[in-house]
Amino acid sequence: MKNHIMPFMRIIFLCYHILVYLSGISLALDSISQDLSLSDDGKNTTLVSKDGTFELGFFTPGNSQKRYLGIWYRKIPIQTVVWVANRLNPINDSSGILRMNPSTGTLVLTHNGTVIWSTASIRRPESPVALLLNSGNLVIRDEKDANSEDYLWESFNYPTDTFLPEMKFGWDLRTGLNRKLIAWKSPDDPSPSDFSFGMVLNNYPEAYMMKGDQKFYRSGPWNGLHSSGSPQVKANPIYDFKFVSNKDELYYTYSLKNSSMISRLVLNATSYVRKRYVWIESKQRWEVYTSVPLDLCDSYSLCGANANCVISDSPVCQCLQGFKPKLPEAWSSMDWSHGCIRNKELSCENKNKDG
């Protein structure tokens, strides 16, 4: 009898390990409660979303020696980080630990007992838990709350350089929260650069790219179909988009038409562009789908007042009919920023001729 049982047990044991291997995604942790922590010591090092798309853990960018807590695509072989927690405070070794503070309902990242980064909470929960959602959103909620989408905190409210599907780009007017993108300083350094992209509140809200405090690119106000300065944003096979403006919120968002598609928007301070990438599985690489600024004429106020920018002209800046360069010498040296002035000043006496 014993001889029959042993082979049978070996088969069960082998099948068990095969099932564990094949179902690794479903067995991986997707949450942190007050009883669990995430450490950078090779044990319990990551959280994985239920569908296996995203992973949260510690990583080292590029050629850096620093350690960061971040979120990346788990199934893509090219490390593609979409969010970084401690971009202002890197860790010098593998001693980082992420824990849930049950008394405050906040996530706390520590290094040798020193707090490196932490979340905030709008209220004190009874049973806080942090979850990595299939969207790539890291959220904190109260398990005792019947509303599973009543988040106490979410990473989507604090983007870094990447705009993911279902994320809101813009303002929560009730709280003053401004969700904007700030590019990495370099591929080796995720700390905030001086290159940002955000929604500006005025009578006709629009998005601006900024180099420090200087305007670099503007999307143009929303005209009901798309941003007026972005006619290339139109119906397409990749994503749907919408613009929401009411007394509580002002934001732009998009969603993918095919759940198997992977696409993201990234702000890059090295090339000063915002690109939409699509992952091509057959080629195992990211392909650029759109990019702004499109050309030199997309540069903010390149030609100054009373001038047109025509990319096919030489020079690209041309004064409007009836106008001439304000500073001819500067204009000739390709500094068009001072714009153009009238060849002849308006005359109120000749109101039937001028207007």
Side-chain angles (χ1 to χ4, degrees), residues 23 77 105 157 233 270 278 352:
S23 60
N157 280 340
V233 179
T270 304
V278 175
N352 295 323

Side-chain angles (χ1 to χ4, degrees), residues 79-151:
Q79 187 184 62
T80 306
V81 177
V82 300
W83 181 79
V84 184
N86 59 317
R87 62 189 309 197
L88 287 171
N89 295 300
I91 300 173
N92 294 322
D93 53 34
S94 298
S95 61
I97 299 176
L98 182 68
R99 291 189 177 93
M100 173 65 71
N101 185 329
S103 61
T104 60
T106 59
L107 282 173
V108 180
L109 174 62
T110 60
H111 163 58
N112 294 329
T114 301
V115 175
I116 299 297
W117 170 86
S118 65
T119 64
S121 182
I122 56 178
R123 64 178 183 275
R124 183 174 176 176
E126 291 185 52
S127 184
V129 60
L131 298 159
L132 180 59
L133 304 182
N134 294 337
S135 61
N137 194 7
L138 176 66
V139 304
I140 301 174
R141 61 175 299 268
D142 191 342
E143 287 188 302
K144 298 291 181 67
D145 193 331
N147 183 0
S148 62
E149 295 185 1
D150 185 11
Y151 304 138

